[in-house]
Amino acid sequence: MPARPRHRPAGSFHHNLFFREPRGRRQGLACAGTPQEAETVRRDDDPPRWIADVVRQPLANVKGGLSASSARKVRDFLDENFSRKLAISEMAAVCGLSSYHFVRAFSRTFGMPPHQYILDLRLDFAERLLAESSLAIADIAHLSGFSSQSHFTTMMKKYRHVTPLRSRSNKLISKTR
């Protein structure tokens, strides 16, 4: 006779593994009906809103983080090289750490992983170019280190909630006021 399956309470891990509710309901959110409501619903893969507001200065004396000199070295390295393709091993070599330890220490020191830090540097640089130059958006994307104009536009929309063209027009409008 086969073993009888054990009863699992509704809140147990295994119950949630097999019987998942739709995303909106699980998070306690109503499903969005209009486009305006859809914009206010936060998805799981969206970064927190405060990430764009974080000052990219290393935190002092963080346990398990980079030393002050290593943080300064890697910050200077990234400020000079953010527009080209970078490998974690290359950044780790600047500090003399293994890739694994570097990512953990960097995240503790700067409050975000290296990829997010580099992406923020690229987006900041691109926004400055959009505001201060008349270069084509594709050229700005290339100079900022994005693989294409499409990739640049996608990242701007996801992390800054505005397209490059809209950002440029907003900067022009604010200059004329």
Side-chain angles (χ1 to χ4, degrees):
M1 180 171 199
R4 190 173 148 197
R6 291 184 359 212
H7 171 70
R8 301 202 192 281
S12 74
F13 169 76
H14 296 286
H15 176 79
N16 291 337
L17 190 70
F18 299 108
F19 302 102
R20 294 195 176 206
E21 294 177 350
R23 286 185 132 178
R25 293 187 190 275
R26 187 177 75 230
Q27 295 171 342
L29 301 170
C31 294
T34 65
Q36 292 79 16
E37 291 172 358
E39 290 177 6
T40 61
V41 175
R42 188 176 173 280
R43 297 184 324 196
D44 287 340
D45 59 344
D46 285 343
R49 293 185 191 272
W50 56 265
I51 282 186
D53 301 332
V54 171
V55 177
R56 284 187 291 280
Q57 295 298 323
L59 302 173
N61 301 325
V62 176
K63 184 173 181 171
L66 296 172
S67 67
S69 63
S70 292
R72 186 177 52 256
K73 285 179 193 175
V74 76
R75 187 181 59 228
D76 293 343
F77 175 77
L78 292 176
D79 286 343
E80 294 174 12
N81 297 297
F82 69 89
S83 63
R84 66 179 180 87
K85 190 172 186 174
L86 294 168
I88 295 291
S89 58
E90 186 178 2
M91 292 181 269
V94 171
C95 299
L97 299 172
S98 69
S99 298
Y100 175 77
H101 186 75
F102 171 76
V103 170
R104 291 180 64 205
F106 186 97
S107 297
R108 287 192 179 191
T109 303
F110 288 94
M112 64 182 75
H115 178 264
Q116 184 66 45
Y117 186 90
I118 294 168
L119 184 62
D120 282 349
L121 287 175
R122 289 176 178 174
L123 289 172
D124 289 343
F125 180 70
E127 283 182 327
R128 277 196 310 274
L129 287 177
L130 286 168
E132 298 169 1
S133 73
S134 59
L135 290 170
I137 293 175
D139 294 335
I140 291 173
H142 177 71
L143 290 172
S144 301
F146 292 99
S147 59
S148 65
Q149 179 179 345
S150 173
H151 182 228
F152 171 48
T153 302
T154 302
M155 294 296 106
M156 274 287 280
K157 283 174 66 175
K158 183 173 183 177
Y159 292 104
R160 302 295 165 94
H161 306 291
V162 65
T163 63
L165 186 60
R166 179 70 60 148
S167 176
R168 175 175 272 170
S169 64
N170 289 346
K171 302 290 182 188
L172 291 174
I173 290 171
S174 65
K175 283 184 181 179
T176 59
R177 289 184 182 174

